[in-house]
Amino acid sequence: MRNAASPNHSAAADTPPADTLVQVGRVGKPHGLDGTVKVIPLSDDPDRFATFDTVYVGRNAERATAHAVRDVRFQPHKKGTTVLLSLETATDRNEAEALRRLDVFVPESVFALDGEERFVHDLVGYAVYSGEECVGTLTEVMALPGPDALVIETTEGYDALVPFVEAFVPRIDDDAQRIHLNPVEGLLDANAPGAPNTPPDDLR
């Protein structure tokens, strides 16, 4: 349940600038009849949802609108945790259904990052290396229900998807703005011209 010590403010009148919003989840199916929705968390720490008084919901950050949080619960399962999110603006199943497939954002300022943490969108533009060879540039971090995926524009001119897990991405050098991949044979080849469209197992 939501931490009762955390004040529940009404939705803010103004949405923060889009470039200061961070996506933390995606709305799934309604849960029950009271307007609660299931949210697939994109944060590596779903418990953070319990600290949010207001979230911003929309098809993208530019179109997101503020919603005061009424209640937060968690539903553990074999693949992780689903967040059960109740908003002041959704009080029945129909209103919850209207939020389905929208993204959930919060302002960057609500996060207190330590030296080991970063926002994934800050990695966009980093050079990507496999061993000592520069193989491309990161253009997007794609949010998925399982591990996120790095979208890499390769030096050969096609986009490659790499699961954003330590087995494939063992090191990130923020000082040099480089992402280092584990040089696994065929890791970048799934979308290469003429290659069969078979992504790595983690993306299936």
Side-chain angles (χ1 to χ4, degrees):
M1 296 292 291
R2 183 173 178 78
N3 183 353
S6 180
N8 188 12
H9 304 299
S10 59
D14 298 316
T15 299
D19 61 0
T20 70
L21 291 177
V22 178
Q23 186 181 355
V24 292
R26 179 165 297 138
V27 180
K29 298 178 181 179
H31 178 79
L33 303 176
D34 66 351
T36 298
V37 293
K38 293 184 176 182
V39 174
I40 301 167
L42 304 181
S43 167
D44 57 1
D45 183 7
D47 289 346
R48 282 175 171 161
F49 274 82
T51 69
F52 301 153
D53 294 320
T54 301
V55 296
Y56 299 82
V57 182
R59 296 194 181 281
N60 51 49
E62 288 75 13
R63 298 172 64 181
T65 56
H67 298 258
V69 175
R70 176 162 45 98
D71 187 49
V72 179
R73 289 174 289 153
F74 301 95
Q75 188 178 65
H77 49 83
K78 288 190 293 185
K79 294 185 177 180
T81 299
T82 297
V83 177
L84 304 180
L85 185 66
S86 300
L87 304 175
E88 295 287 356
T89 48
T91 58
D92 60 38
R93 192 173 180 89
N94 288 336
E95 291 174 334
E97 185 66 41
L99 299 173
R100 193 171 178 180
R101 300 188 180 90
L102 298 182
D103 294 330
V104 182
F105 303 87
V106 294
E108 238 180 51
S109 57
V110 306
F111 291 98
L113 301 186
D114 62 32
E116 297 298 317
E117 295 181 305
R118 61 176 67 81
F119 293 114
V120 292
H121 64 260
D122 290 336
L123 302 177
V124 172
Y126 276 29
V128 180
Y129 278 72
S130 179
E132 298 300 317
E133 178 186 5
C134 180
V135 294
T137 303
L138 183 70
T139 59
E140 181 184 354
V141 180
M142 183 182 296
L144 297 173
D148 292 347
L150 302 182
V151 182
I152 299 166
E153 182 180 347
T154 68
T155 53
E156 297 182 17
Y158 62 88
D159 286 344
L161 298 183
V162 173
F164 196 5
V165 295
E166 189 173 2
F168 297 132
V169 188
R171 186 164 65 92
I172 296 174
D173 185 340
D174 290 308
D175 292 335
Q177 296 194 348
R178 292 182 178 183
I179 296 170
H180 292 269
L181 303 181
N182 197 349
V184 176
E185 184 177 356
L187 183 60
L188 301 175
D189 295 343
N191 292 338
N197 188 18
T198 348
D201 289 340
D202 288 46
L203 294 182
R204 295 180 190 174

